């Protein structure tokens, strides 16, 4: 890459910083040109947690992002983008830690939107800590919505004019969601022909760019057995099928709606389909996570920047123990490199 890739440190009370340190330690070639947008003291503590033989991983303070391109391997380059702070206690919800995590994401997103970065990889934040931080972060249930708001502000458009979608992917399965972090009742309300059509458009464009060919898209139904011909609900007949037909008329290779309990098996290994569009959060994410969170990558589709994230949370119960697995973060860095222009 001719531009650096930022990794936001996530919530300092969780496993994000130590998985970042492990990634720089264990995948030095892949992490060349990457740097951490975060707090030096927090990353130094994380480097000590993952030390080998009593020797801590070196942490280098950057003055500007471009210096990351020349940083030596097995060293953690950190750009201080928040006010220096005493690291948050491990495993505790902390408003200051939530605010610092949010500030790192906003800084990195704005830098990417200005064209200074190839993209960003976001270590996990804690949604309760983010909400506890207060305005403006208490308005956003997660990374996706926060990044959407920052990008819309940069483009000077209302958030509604910048639809985004969440894709979770690993080596066996990709799934894109019609709705993200909302209650199940609200997710059902969001199953509309317009939302499904928008999801199919975003999925087609994003996955085609990654595969360099039009993707084969399967669409899951909402109801058991995809409604069983209207016996268990008519959303498939009245809402989902018309959206698929409209997408096919625009040249999108979409099929369905299929029974949700079997469609993911048909797409596993990309046998019949390259990606599944699911109607709501858990319908789409449980199959991918069941295959192994250590290789799952969260990708935000529809943004004018590259953003990936590991497929796990802050894991407060093991934070600071050195037991956190960096595989998903490493996979997220690899995916960001593949997607970066």
């Amino acid at each position: 890459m001719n531009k650096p890739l930022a990794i936001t440190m996530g919530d300092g009370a969780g496993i994000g910083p130590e998985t970042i340190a492990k990634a720089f330690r264990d995948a030095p070639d892949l992490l060349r040109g990457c740097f951490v947008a975060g707090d030096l003291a927090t990353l130094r503590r994380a480097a000590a947690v993952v030390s080998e033989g009593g020797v801590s991983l070196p942490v280098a303070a950057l003055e500007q992002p471009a210096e990351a391109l020349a940083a030596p391997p097995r060293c953690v380059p950190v750009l201080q983008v928040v006010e220096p702070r005493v690291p948050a206690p491990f495993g505790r919800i902390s408003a200051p830690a939530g605010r610092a995590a949010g500030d790192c994401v906003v800084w990195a997103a704005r830098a990417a939107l200005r064209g200074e970065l190839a993209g960003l990889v976001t270590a996990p934040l804690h949604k309760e800590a983010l909400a506890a931080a207060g305005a403006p972060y208490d308005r956003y249930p997660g990374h996706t919505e926060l990044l959407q708001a920052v990008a819309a502000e940069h483009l000077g458009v209302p958030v509604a004019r910048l639809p985004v979608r969440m894709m979770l992917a690993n080596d066996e399965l990709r799934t894109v969601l019609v709705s993200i972090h909302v209650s199940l009742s609200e997710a059902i309300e969001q199953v509309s022909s317009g939302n499904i059509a928008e999801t199919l458009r975003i999925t087609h464009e994003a996955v085609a760019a990654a595969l360099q060919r039009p993707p084969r898209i399967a669409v899951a139904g909402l109801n058991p057995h995809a409604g069983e011909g209207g016996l268990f609900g008519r959303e498939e007949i009245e809402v989902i099928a018309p959206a698929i037909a409209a997408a096919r008329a625009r040249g999108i290779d979409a099929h369905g709606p299929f029974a949700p309990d079997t469609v993911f098996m048909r797409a596993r290994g990309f046998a019949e389909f390259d990606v599944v569009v699911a109607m709501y959060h858990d319908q789409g994410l449980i199959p991918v996570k069941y295959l192994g969170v250590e290789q799952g990558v969260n990708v935000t589709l529809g943004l004018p920047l590259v953003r990936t994230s590991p497929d796990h949370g802050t894991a407060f119960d093991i934070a600071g123990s050195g037991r956190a697995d960096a595989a998903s973060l490493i996979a997220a860095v690899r995916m960001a490199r593949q997607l970066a222009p």
Side-chain angles (χ1 to χ4, degrees), residues 206-246:
V207 179
L211 297 180
Q212 296 298 300
R213 61 171 174 79
R216 302 163 300 165
I217 304 173
V219 182
L222 173 66
N223 298 299
H225 302 184
E228 198 72 78
L231 293 176
F232 306 147
R234 297 191 57 80
E235 287 86 355
E236 285 77 12
I237 296 170
E238 298 174 357
V239 178
I240 303 174
I244 295 171

Side-chain angles (χ1 to χ4, degrees), residues 182-190:
V182 296
S183 68
L184 183 56
S185 60
E186 186 175 345
I188 293 170
E189 291 176 1
Q190 290 187 18

